[in-house]
Amino acid sequence: METLAFATASSFISGINHSMAYQVAGKLLLVMEGIVTMQISHPEVKKVLVELDIAASLSTIKALVNDLRPMLHKCGCTLNVCVENLNAVMTQIQQELDAVEKKCTAHKKSWSAYIYSNPDVSSELKQIKNLKQIMDHRIDLLTKSATIELQLMSVVSTMTTAESKNDNYEKTNEPQLSNNSNETDANH
């Protein structure tokens, strides 16, 4: 079972290329815009979204992804996987919010609207709270991964610069053999 999981994970990871990085980042930004612009009619859901500080988390993610975009093509799979996982959890939050709105719309058309002002969305709220914790964890993974990637890129850049300087030094300090030195040696 574990072998199958590792094989699936490695095939998934190896399938991510650099052009996909832009696609994944773009999808993430679209999902964020959908969540931010969504009109929530249920007062309890609005209250929970404010308590969870969803808007601030989304604006932070958006800024982070925009900052990372220029370097995504230079990075390995790690950042792409992190962004993809973040996109998945945000899509789930969007789906929960959509389910709440569908419940609210159906409730308004129902006879129960005369008895209860709003439908029961406690299960959706619980799921949104859980997803927010997962999202926060994935943001943390993304920032840690980005830090590691930047450090690796810096080390590789430093090594490349050092190798280049070493190559240039060796080229300029190579002993020059000239025909004149051979001739003077032969004359002696």
Side-chain angles (χ1 to χ4, degrees):
M1 187 71 153
E2 288 178 23
T3 307
L4 178 62
F6 287 128
T8 304
S10 66
S11 68
F12 170 75
I13 290 171
S14 65
I16 295 177
N17 60 32
H18 300 302
S19 67
M20 283 181 63
Y22 292 112
Q23 293 172 357
V24 170
K27 286 179 189 177
L28 178 65
L29 293 173
L30 286 174
V31 170
M32 284 189 306
E33 289 299 320
I35 293 173
V36 169
T37 59
M38 187 171 193
Q39 298 295 320
I40 307 296
S41 61
H42 198 288
E44 187 63 27
V45 175
K46 287 181 183 180
K47 179 182 169 192
V48 168
L49 292 178
V50 169
E51 288 172 0
L52 293 175
D53 205 16
I54 293 278
S57 294
L58 294 177
S59 64
T60 301
I61 294 168
K62 184 176 182 178
L64 180 60
V65 169
N66 282 331
D67 288 348
L68 292 175
R69 257 186 165 175
M71 65 175 253
L72 282 176
H73 70 283
K74 298 175 188 174
C75 296
C77 297
T78 308
L79 291 183
N80 297 323
V81 171
C82 288
V83 170
E84 223 171 77
N85 288 333
L86 196 52
N87 184 43
V89 75
M90 291 175 63
T91 300
Q92 289 175 324
I93 291 172
Q94 177 75 49
Q95 290 169 347
E96 289 298 322
L97 292 172
D98 288 342
V100 165
E101 282 308 301
K102 284 179 185 176
K103 265 190 176 180
C104 288
T105 302
H107 177 76
K108 288 177 186 174
K109 296 175 184 177
S110 154
W111 61 268
S112 61
Y114 295 108
I115 301 170
Y116 306 106
S117 56
N118 293 299
D120 178 28
V121 292
S122 56
S123 64
E124 289 85 354
L125 287 176
K126 182 179 178 183
Q127 183 63 13
I128 289 170
K129 288 176 183 180
N130 289 337
L131 290 169
K132 173 62 166 77
Q133 288 179 341
I134 293 169
M135 183 177 79
D136 288 345
H137 176 70
R138 290 182 182 179
I139 292 169
D140 187 47
L141 283 174
L142 176 62
T143 56
K144 287 177 182 176
S145 296
T147 301
I148 292 168
E149 284 280 350
L150 288 171
Q151 289 173 348
L152 288 173
M153 289 172 66
S154 174
V155 167
V156 168
S157 175
T158 303
M159 289 173 58
T160 304
T161 304
E163 286 175 1
S164 176
K165 286 181 180 178
N166 189 29
D167 288 346
N168 289 338
Y169 177 79
E170 288 174 359
K171 286 179 184 176
T172 58
N173 292 325
E174 285 181 354
Q176 299 293 323
L177 296 176
S178 66
N179 291 336
N180 292 342
S181 65
N182 290 338
E183 290 174 9
T184 55
D185 288 341
N187 292 336
H188 291 293

